[in-house]
Amino acid sequence: MSRRPEDLVYSVDERPPASVAVPFTLQFVVQHVALSLMIPIIIVAAIGGPPEMTAALLSSLLIAEGVGTALQALRRRGIGCGYLMPNACDESFLVATLHAAQAGGLALAFGMTAVAGLLQMGLSRVVRELRVLFPPEVMGMVITVLGFSLIPFGIQSFLGMTGEASAVGMVPAGVGVAALTLTVLVISPRFGEKYEANAIIVALAVGLGASYLLGLYPADALDRVMVAPLLQAPDISYFGWSFDLRLLPIFLIAVIATTIQTITNVTIGQRVNDAAWVRPDMENIRDGIFTMGLTNVFAGAIGSPGVSTASSELGISVASRITSRFIGFLFGGALVVCAFVPKATTAFSLVPIYVIGAVVIYICAFLIMVGITTMLSRMMDTRKVLVIGISLVFGLSVQFVPYVFEDVPPIFEPVFASSITLATITAIVLNLAFRFGIRQEESVVLEPGSAAAREIEAFLQRKGEEWGAREEVVVRAAAAATEIAEGTMGCLTDGPVEVSASFDELNLDLALSYTGQAMAFPSSRPTEEEMLEDDRGFAAFAWYMAGRYADTARSAEEDGRCRVFLHFDH
């Protein structure tokens, strides 16, 4: 059963007042539009299109992202994961779109994007069967890499080393604004819950104000805004559809990459909204992936590149402690409105990169810590340490030594374009490989006179680490098995007791068997007189306590052999 985290200001199903929701949505829009502008610029530059094509592509992209964000917030009849899950075009779809646009123009890119959406909708139907590939330690590692993957852009932006700003080198005033913005982000939560909820919008206001005073906006910034039309319908003259099966593999890889990212981001949504979270809810993730596919069919239909769930905007939600899905409807609607208001998109696109860099660094810190916490929610052994460590090495290599992947075949470019995708694929392969040789059922025999508690604890601790079981469940199982063993040995049997344990991702089951007297689990606590009356009274109390530790407990007798079954939900 889910439990609301105490540190959230507004959780997933809570509706924040307009005084909170509007400023919070605005900070999403400011960062999102400024970053989304780069996608159509890159695509149009690759095919040598006119500036009007860039504007048209930006409008259709904002509409697709806005509709996708609103759909994800729905949670109705299999549509939407029900979390605040902003959409954006990611590296994998950008690479696939570039290949298609260069091979056959935008029409081919749009047609293949729609096909990719259909593939993603189909993939969502089998994601539940793939849950063994995504244990919590793997998801935690991917979330951690997600945070690390934002560091290069965050640091470069913080220092003004991206886009046009990089041409003039480091500007001390710009770095000062970035430092001021980050300082406001760090200290705002100290002034109370209200300031914590609005930390990013307060920091943006301070950063933008300081940028204006220090002259960091382009000299013609105001002219650009004034010249842009207030209202304008998106230009559909560049729209068309065509298909080429030769491009199907590269779009399929993009689908797999964005599906992995969606699994990661929906897991973050589940994790931060539930203090009692123990594992990914694959049915909820299935709905999120299905909605992502539906959004990409829509994107292709309106002439937009493919989109996925956006990690940076999700990070704003996590860092601000506001995860209300109702923000998703506001944010989605705001993006659609922006698509018809060129004056607004022009203004947002002029936000100094220094301010955005400070916000991204702030987001990185929260994502990395959420990932580490998720990884450590499972008991670790050498196998899991290797899965996490090797996956981190390969994933982060995309950030540290990107040039080594420059000559990979074009079909595999989406895999190596993202540290998240490479780390996740590495983790899945290693996790499957290391599962061979791990027996999911083991047993130990307790001889009369042995130290049952110590042997059971050592046995279950060792197997729990191998299986990746949650420590809290292993501790309860050890306590229950110890009660049964100590209450049975010398009371109900003079022989050995065999303890068997079996495990899968959802269940931990213990079976204790012995030759001797049978006993049913007491429905109530034995009285002191009953416990002192004979040995069976002491055994009854031990069995009663074991039943309290287990989620379900039962006993059976067959051919003189008594068996006790203890089940623990995992």
Side-chain angles (χ1 to χ4, degrees), residues 261-323:
Q261 182 145 319
T262 299
I263 292 172
T264 303
N265 289 336
V266 175
T267 300
I268 293 175
Q270 297 173 0
R271 178 76 174 81
V272 300
N273 282 286
D274 184 5
W277 183 89
V278 294
R279 73 179 69 85
D281 180 350
M282 298 307 291
E283 290 188 4
N284 178 243
I285 289 173
R286 176 199 64 193
D287 293 343
I289 295 172
F290 179 84
T291 304
M292 206 69 264
L294 184 63
T295 301
N296 281 319
V297 172
F298 174 73
I302 65 170
S304 167
V307 299
S308 181
T309 51
S311 306
S312 57
E313 279 88 352
L314 182 59
I316 292 177
S317 171
V318 174
S320 301
R321 304 284 195 264
I322 298 178
T323 59

